[in-house]
Amino acid sequence: MTRPAASTTPARSPRPAVTPTAPPRPLALPTTARRGTRSKLPRMGQLALDTLDRGRIIDLRRDADACARLPHGRAGGRYRCLACGHRLILQWPSSPASRFTPRFRHDTVSSGADHCPAPAQHQADVQADLTTMLALRETLLRVLPPASLSLRIDPELAGQRWQIPPALIVRRGEHVAVFERPRRLLTAAAVTRRLADTRTQHGPTAVHWWVFDRDDPLHCDVAGTVNVQPYGKTITHTKVRPTPAQRQLAAAGATVCWLADDTVLLPYGGHPRTYTPQPGEDWSGQMASWQRDWTISHPRPADGATWWGLVAQPLLALGKQPDFRPAAAHATMSALERAEHGRERHRRRRAREHAQHNTHTTPVQLPLPAHNSTETHASGLATAAGEPTDALKTPTPTSAAPAPSAGPVPPRPPITPGPSQQAPTDRDRPRRLTWRSLLPRRWHR
């Protein structure tokens, strides 16, 4: 039999499914997860400025009634681009069954992809500002469900580089609150212009809030802590150094606060103080450190405050007041003021006690009557024993007649010791009892 010719192609070894040394390929994320992450960021095609509605910013993804109240098309140049200021066209689906996504397009004659002529950095700044304000809007919607919230900006600022993001207008019945959330450093001119525009558009009764980020180093310069006792329990408050713009806002009557998650931090002013001594007070020695204290200014910090203390209040409590007044924080500040008055009274009382303790009267020794040596010696013994001197004297009856005088008594001549009369020696004097005298004589050597 003829065998078939052997194949010249070498046999191949089976290829392993996965290389042992190579890491496994990561699993692709679901399409819905990627779309859900991207949908949280605003897109320029979904944002526009409505010039006929007092500069309201339209967000097609978050505005549920936009389809019912907004006309589509050019609408007479009603819609403007926030980045470049050009007119926009609102493209709407032709039928309810269409899957076309509504969007804004620039009103240009060229066809194809829509491109905004504004620089990319300027578009990124606009998106970042709007993202910050939309996040604040969603936060307030959770605590203010019946309120009406909208973002608004001056229509003349469309296409310009603004320093302060659009304001968030909150309406609850007759009460209006304007919320600002700056991202960049504020200048005095920008603050003055925004305060004037808000007062002109919404009236002097509108509450103007300026909300800063607690973790933003540009607007929150931490200066340590302070321990206070507003309700008899020690709590710690954070101190900050206010910026010139924040001092300007507080002096103008605006409400300055910091936001940390769902907690709002409201400031009060801290002023160093040295107590002025009053009559009967002594602040020397150990009381010197008690003379230095601080006083509070609230509900808005005074211009001369060295530092600002922050009172924490839940953001949910803000929605319980129809006029947007932080009642809980203001109550804590009033308690701090009462504690300050009590602290001053306590320290001044200690200063008066310190003055009384340091006041000593110098004892004055009265001259003793020189009658005779025996009475003087007895008076000295009585004084040493702590008894009154008058107790050793014999009372003289007042009714007895005085004894007749026998005439002057001549002085006695001094006694001069003779040869047999020697001066007393140490052996004749009484010996003081000591431990050595109690020992036997043979041990004295």
Side-chain angles (χ1 to χ4, degrees):
M1 285 181 67
T2 305
R3 297 182 178 180
S7 176
T8 58
T9 303
R12 296 180 179 179
S13 58
R15 187 175 182 179
V18 179
T19 307
T21 58
R25 297 179 61 185
L27 297 177
L29 295 176
T31 307
T32 56
R34 293 200 303 267
R35 289 180 179 177
T37 304
R38 295 177 58 186
S39 62
K40 296 181 180 179
L41 300 177
R43 298 180 182 179
M44 298 306 300
Q46 300 165 350
L47 301 171
L49 176 65
D50 191 352
T51 58
L52 297 183
D53 194 3
R54 294 175 298 177
R56 179 170 182 170
I57 296 178
I58 305 172
D59 183 5
L60 295 179
R61 292 211 173 181
R62 293 175 174 84
D63 196 349
D65 59 342
C67 178
R69 64 183 180 83
L70 295 177
H72 65 279
R74 291 183 175 85
R78 176 177 181 175
Y79 311 118
R80 296 282 179 173
C81 178
L82 293 170
C84 64
H86 292 175
R87 292 181 298 178
L88 298 177
I89 301 175
L90 176 57
Q91 294 183 342
W92 210 254
S94 57
S95 63
S98 175
R99 302 182 61 182
F100 179 80
T101 303
R103 63 175 62 95
F104 290 101
R105 294 178 58 88
H106 287 75
D107 187 10
T108 57
V109 296
S110 60
S111 60
D114 183 48
H115 295 287
C116 179
Q121 182 62 39
H122 180 48
Q123 296 185 39
D125 290 341
V126 171
Q127 289 179 331
D129 290 342
L130 295 179
T131 300
T132 302
M133 297 306 301
L134 291 174
L136 179 61
R137 177 179 180 271
E138 294 178 356
T139 301
L140 293 179
L141 276 176
R142 295 196 300 267
V143 300
L144 305 172
S148 172
L149 293 86
S150 60
L151 288 178
R152 298 181 185 273
I153 197 172
D154 187 1
E156 297 181 358
L157 297 179
Q160 301 182 14
R161 184 178 180 85
W162 56 58
Q163 187 176 4
I164 305 176
L168 179 62
I169 313 300
V170 182
R171 297 181 180 272
R172 296 182 64 182
E174 300 179 354
H175 302 281
V176 179
V178 182
F179 287 83
E180 311 278 0
R181 195 171 187 182
R183 292 182 55 249
R184 290 169 286 273
L185 286 178
L186 299 174
T187 61
V191 170
T192 303
R193 183 168 55 253
R194 180 58 64 92
L195 290 174
D197 294 344
T198 302
R199 191 178 301 107
T200 301
Q201 297 177 9
H202 305 284
T205 59
V207 182
H208 205 172
W209 284 71
W210 291 74
V211 184
F212 299 94
D213 191 359
R214 171 62 176 80
D215 299 327
D216 188 358
L218 293 178
H219 302 102
C220 186
D221 186 8
V222 180
T225 58
V226 58
N227 294 329
V228 295
Q229 292 183 344
Y231 302 107
K233 183 179 179 181
T234 303
I235 58 177
T236 302
H237 285 172
T238 302
K239 298 192 303 183
V240 296
R241 301 181 186 91
T243 61
Q246 292 169 352
R247 292 182 182 273
Q248 179 184 359
L249 292 172
T255 302
V256 181
C257 67
W258 284 262
L259 186 64
D261 295 333
D262 290 339
T263 302
V264 60
L265 306 172
L266 292 114
Y268 59 86
H271 308 257
R273 177 187 181 186
T274 301
Y275 293 120
T276 303
Q278 296 180 358
E281 296 179 352
D282 184 8
W283 296 94
S284 61
Q286 61 181 0
M287 294 299 299
S289 59
W290 288 54
Q291 192 177 6
R292 296 185 298 271
D293 200 2
W294 63 277
T295 182
I296 184 176
S297 60
H298 69 95
R300 294 181 180 89
D303 188 36
T306 305
W307 48 267
W308 288 5
L310 303 182
V311 178
Q313 173 181 323
L315 190 61
L316 184 61
L318 186 63
K320 297 180 179 180
Q321 300 292 333
D323 55 350
F324 306 97
R325 185 175 61 89
H330 290 176
T332 302
M333 296 175 187
S334 300
L336 286 177
E337 185 177 8
R338 292 191 297 269
E340 172 193 334
H341 297 331
R343 187 171 62 248
E344 180 181 359
R345 290 192 298 268
H346 172 70
R347 294 192 177 191
R348 290 193 178 277
R349 182 173 61 252
R350 291 291 303 272
R352 291 191 296 268
E353 294 175 356
H354 185 64
Q356 295 176 2
H357 179 74
N358 291 343
T359 302
H360 299 285
T361 56
T362 306
V364 179
Q365 185 177 3
L366 299 178
L368 297 177
H371 296 290
N372 50 47
S373 60
T374 304
E375 185 177 353
T376 304
H377 180 67
S379 301
L381 293 178
T383 305
E387 300 178 358
T389 310
D390 299 338
L392 299 177
K393 297 181 180 179
T394 303
T396 303
T398 57
S399 60
S405 175
V409 179
R412 299 176 60 182
I415 301 175
T416 304
S420 60
Q421 298 179 354
Q422 300 294 334
T425 60
D426 295 340
R427 297 185 60 180
D428 299 334
R429 294 173 181 171
R431 299 177 58 185
R432 187 177 60 178
L433 181 63
T434 60
W435 287 104
R436 188 171 180 272
S437 62
L438 298 179
L439 298 177
R441 187 176 299 274
R442 63 178 181 272
W443 288 3
H444 290 183
R445 299 178 181 179

